[in-house]
Amino acid sequence: LELNEANQLITQSINSASIIQNAILPEIDCNKYGFREFEYLWEPRDIVGGDFYWLDKHEDWTCFVIADCTGHGIPGAFMTLISSTLLDRIKSIEDLSQPVRILNQLDEFLEDTLKLKRRDVSNFGIDAGVCCFSRKKNLLLYSGAKMNLYFKHDNNVQEYKGNKISLGYSQKPHPLQLSSHQIDLSDNSSFYIFSDGITDQIGGPKNIMYGKKRILNIISKNSEVEKTIFDISKDLESYQQNNKRRDDLSLFGFSIA
């Protein structure tokens, strides 16, 4: 009885934490932020999780961040709260048209917040992708830390790779040497970005990872973002079968008005 009561109390606490975590996630107003379409799959493996997204706009520039924090469950959820708060600080001191600077500033703030100067390494960090776009300039800029962006134009899908470096974990010399990809906006184009919780899910007849190829195949076949996200979600669910969920899931697709 005592064990059941303890489990109930823990579950109630985690459910309350889930409400708090959901409260930090931005509402998606397509007109406000300049999206024509915006669809996503965001599912914590447990009640709370370590993936989150962040969105803001300054003048004509919209900045969209997707991040995969260390772990899942309660530790991951704490990291999402810290990281979202740090991004709120960054928007007041950084230009929202500069994804490389945003990632650099986030890494510096994480080093300070996690007190990495007092220790060599920690078990806490983030993989992230930052998209900054302006319709007036007809331009999207992308920079990633172990996260890639996929650009679909007509039936072609192009990959823009993030750098093979995570934010946090250890103290690093700044500025980080991160790449910035410049993409001209065009009609009949859309963008997709996802965390490794999607690609690393085990399933299928051979019990292997879902992988990137299946996702890109579905993206290339569909013309609408909503149908693309729906089809990937259903295909992943079917692929997983009776296997346990390995990680939090984040998958985003959008086109720009």
Side-chain angles (χ1 to χ4, degrees), residues 50-51 67-72 75-76 79 83 86 106-128 145-147 163-174 176 196 247:
D51 288 5
D68 178 359
C69 301
T70 304
H72 33 74
M79 281 297 295
S83 304
L86 294 179
L106 182 55
D107 187 61
E108 289 191 45
F109 280 172
L110 281 169
E111 285 187 9
D112 185 51
T113 303
L114 299 174
K115 298 179 172 56
L116 296 181
K117 292 178 182 178
R118 299 182 190 176
R119 58 178 81 112
D120 293 330
V121 295
S122 82
N123 294 322
F124 304 106
I126 301 175
D127 298 339
K146 284 193 175 177
M147 194 171 286
N163 293 90
K164 294 181 179 179
I165 184 172
S166 296
L167 309 182
Y169 291 111
S170 61
Q171 192 174 4
K172 313 176 195 70
H174 290 97
L176 302 177
D196 60 11
D247 201 353

Side-chain angles (χ1 to χ4, degrees), residues 178-192:
L178 299 170
S179 303
S180 179
H181 302 285
Q182 181 173 311
I183 306 167
D184 293 328
L185 299 178
S186 57
D187 295 331
N188 303 318
S189 64
S190 52
F191 298 88
Y192 296 89

Side-chain angles (χ1 to χ4, degrees), residues 45 51 68-69 71-72 127 146-148 150 194-204 206-215 232 236 239-240 243-250:
R45 192 197 76 167
D51 288 5
D68 178 359
C69 301
H72 33 74
D127 298 339
K146 284 193 175 177
M147 194 171 286
N148 304 333
Y150 299 87
F194 42 86
S195 65
D196 60 11
I198 304 277
T199 53
D200 291 355
Q201 178 59 49
I202 295 294
K206 296 182 179 179
N207 261 353
I208 59 175
M209 291 192 291
Y210 185 69
K212 181 172 67 176
K213 189 178 291 186
R214 296 174 71 102
I215 299 173
I232 295 171
L236 179 65
Y239 186 86
Q240 182 179 333
N243 288 281
K244 289 181 65 176
R245 175 76 61 79
R246 293 190 69 179
D247 201 353
D248 307 314
L249 303 180
S250 290

